[in-house]
Amino acid sequence: MIRIGVIGYGYWGPNIVRNLYSVDGCQVAAVCDQSPTALERVSKAYPGLPVTANPADLLTSAEIDAIAVVTPVCTHFELAKAALANGKHVFIEKPFTSTTQQADELIELAERKKLKIMVDHTFLFTGAVRKIRELLDDGVLGDLYYYDSTRVNLGLFQHDISVIWDLAPHDLAIMDFLIQKTPEAVSATGGAHFNGLVDVAFITIYFPGNTIAHINVNWLSPVKVRTTLIGGEKKMLVWNDVEADEKVKVYDKGVQMNNGHGLYELLVSYRAGDMWAPRVEQAEALKVELNHFVECVTKGHTPFNDGAAGLRVVKLLEAADRSLKERGRAVQL
Ligand SMILES: NC(=O)c1ccc[n+]([C@@H]2O[C@H](COP(=O)([O-])OP(=O)(O)OC[C@H]3O[C@@H](n4cnc5c(N)ncnc54)[C@H](O)[C@@H]3O)[C@@H](O)[C@H]2O)c1
């Protein structure tokens, strides 16, 4: 039985606690939040569950095997470092850390202490992303041309991080999981219209072999859009995450070009075949993910969304920030 202490019970923390209650092989040992109101909410929802305002009570407890860090990103490093230093496995929110240096340090500490780090890249555990990965693995889409994601809505404005650090980690983690190539360069543009933090951003990521990814994140959109287009040599797909059913649609569409004899004899033919919507698992992603965490800790396996996966995302976020300051100059990785 893995005993887990949860630090942070704001917006996302309740989802972690609720799902942990439904995962076999683990037990929520205690919840910590510096806000008394948050602790009142815990006690109301889970009478008898120990609560504390002091993270050290969890971090140093001999009764706890793992810590879930569900606090703002600026606190991730110190809390995770203390957890690892005290011999606890770590489940930590996205983005993993505020800098690549911090991520490197945590990975090194976990390796030295033989502990697991799992970064909450929740979308990797959704039925849609797992289905898309399956289609790629089975060669249904063929070689990838592009990945193009739009993740926009009105707010929620964060007081400490830009829209890039808030929303893009989702897309960068999904892209990292699906494309499985090492990015070569990042270019980002965007704007800050209120509090100095970028609220609209366009990020382009260049991969070897002419694969390109584009991510549009925006807190100033009148409507919520969660749409990803993936173009492959053989098939193309649209993943619309706000759709209740048929989230993923695969299109047998494509382009073929044949050169004629002269310069102006390029022959372009367009293929427009069938569209189908593969069945997508409906299970709650966070539950599947927390199950994976408990299994990895119990069996000594390394999660695929480990510290290294978290670091790859932070590296892209840092590069995007650098590029944005120079109005989109491509930053080589
Ligand atoms: N995986 C996802 O889909 C997803 C979704 C939302 C948020 N998140 C991530 O979850 C984390 C928390 O986000 P949120 O929206 O819940 O934030 P939030 O501000 O709503 O909640 C954070 C909570 O942490 C508490 N806290 C802060 N510092 C603390 C400390 N040092 N010790 C104890 N408690 C502390 C605060 O009092 C607050 O209750 C962020 O890293 C965010 O990126 C992930």
Side-chain angles (χ1 to χ4, degrees):
M1 182 65 66
I2 307 294
R3 297 158 303 176
I4 304 180
V6 179
I7 305 181
Y9 198 83
Y11 163 68
W12 196 242
N15 293 325
I16 302 288
V17 175
R18 175 176 54 79
N19 277 288
L20 281 174
Y21 265 85
S22 67
V23 170
D24 290 335
C26 80
Q27 183 196 338
V28 181
V31 173
C32 165
D33 198 297
Q34 65 194 14
S35 147
T37 328
L39 295 183
E40 274 169 32
R41 284 193 288 125
V42 179
S43 298
K44 201 162 172 210
Y46 306 94
L49 177 62
V51 294
T52 174
N54 184 3
D57 292 343
L58 271 59
L59 295 166
T60 59
S61 166
E63 306 298 312
I64 287 178
D65 309 299
I67 296 284
V69 179
V70 201
T71 49
V73 61
C74 59
T75 65
H76 286 186
F77 175 68
E78 291 304 337
L79 291 171
K81 188 176 166 184
L84 294 167
N86 282 289
K88 322 263 181 247
H89 302 282
V90 168
F91 178 89
I92 187 163
E93 272 315 315
K94 63 81 198 163
F96 182 21
T97 51
S98 302
T99 67
T100 47
Q101 207 182 340
Q102 292 176 345
D104 280 330
E105 198 176 323
L106 294 181
I107 291 168
E108 193 273 322
L109 181 57
E111 271 170 13
R112 196 150 36 86
K113 295 271 207 172
K114 301 203 172 3
L115 294 164
K116 305 292 173 200
I117 296 177
M118 183 190 264
V119 182
D120 182 8
H121 290 159
T122 325
F123 278 96
L124 308 191
F125 294 84
T126 58
V129 172
R130 286 187 297 154
K131 176 55 73 180
I132 297 169
R133 177 66 193 271
E134 198 180 300
L135 293 168
L136 286 164
D137 286 347
D138 293 346
V140 174
L141 303 184
D143 281 346
L144 273 194
Y145 292 148
Y146 68 85
Y147 173 100
D148 185 10
S149 166
T150 304
R151 186 177 299 276
V152 304
N153 41 259
L154 196 62
L156 299 170
F157 272 76
Q158 304 287 312
H159 51 265
D160 55 342
I161 50 169
S162 71
V163 73
I164 294 184
W165 286 75
D166 181 37
L167 295 183
H170 293 305
D171 302 288
L172 296 172
I174 298 165
M175 184 199 78
D176 174 69
F177 180 63
L178 295 178
I179 298 183
Q180 303 224 316
K181 290 181 183 175
T182 307
E184 291 176 335
V186 175
S187 160
T189 51
H193 302 90
F194 296 95
N195 55 358
L197 291 172
V198 168
D199 43 43
V200 176
F202 311 100
I203 309 166
T204 305
I205 301 117
Y206 299 90
F207 290 89
N210 214 11
T211 303
I212 190 164
H214 182 257
I215 291 167
N216 171 355
V217 282
N218 184 345
W219 283 330
L220 287 178
S221 163
V223 290
K224 178 171 175 169
V225 182
R226 296 280 184 272
T227 303
T228 303
L229 302 175
I230 300 180
E233 173 205 8
K234 292 187 191 158
K235 302 269 189 297
M236 299 176 173
L237 72 76
V238 181
W239 164 30
N240 183 352
D241 205 45
V242 294
E243 203 59 77
D245 306 304
E246 304 192 342
K247 285 182 187 289
V248 178
K249 289 182 178 152
V250 184
Y251 292 80
D252 183 14
K253 290 194 178 190
V255 177
Q256 199 166 355
M257 296 211 187
N258 297 305
N259 277 317
H261 294 300
L263 182 63
Y264 298 103
E265 290 182 54
L266 188 67
L267 302 171
V268 185
S269 58
Y270 297 94
R271 190 180 69 258
D274 291 342
M275 178 278 284
W276 82 96
R279 203 180 74 81
V280 162
E281 284 292 336
Q282 295 286 354
E284 186 170 350
L286 201 48
K287 182 177 174 187
V288 182
E289 180 174 23
L290 289 165
N291 237 320
H292 184 51
F293 177 65
V294 170
E295 201 174 284
C296 286
V297 168
T298 312
K299 297 185 177 163
H301 296 163
T302 300
F304 65 87
N305 51 328
D306 61 354
L311 168 62
R312 292 197 293 277
V313 168
V314 174
K315 207 171 178 178
L316 292 168
L317 294 170
E318 272 187 353
D321 273 355
R322 274 208 303 281
S323 172
L324 199 133
K325 284 196 186 102
E326 297 179 56
R327 294 204 144 196
R329 181 183 65 81
V331 170
Q332 301 300 320
L333 294 161

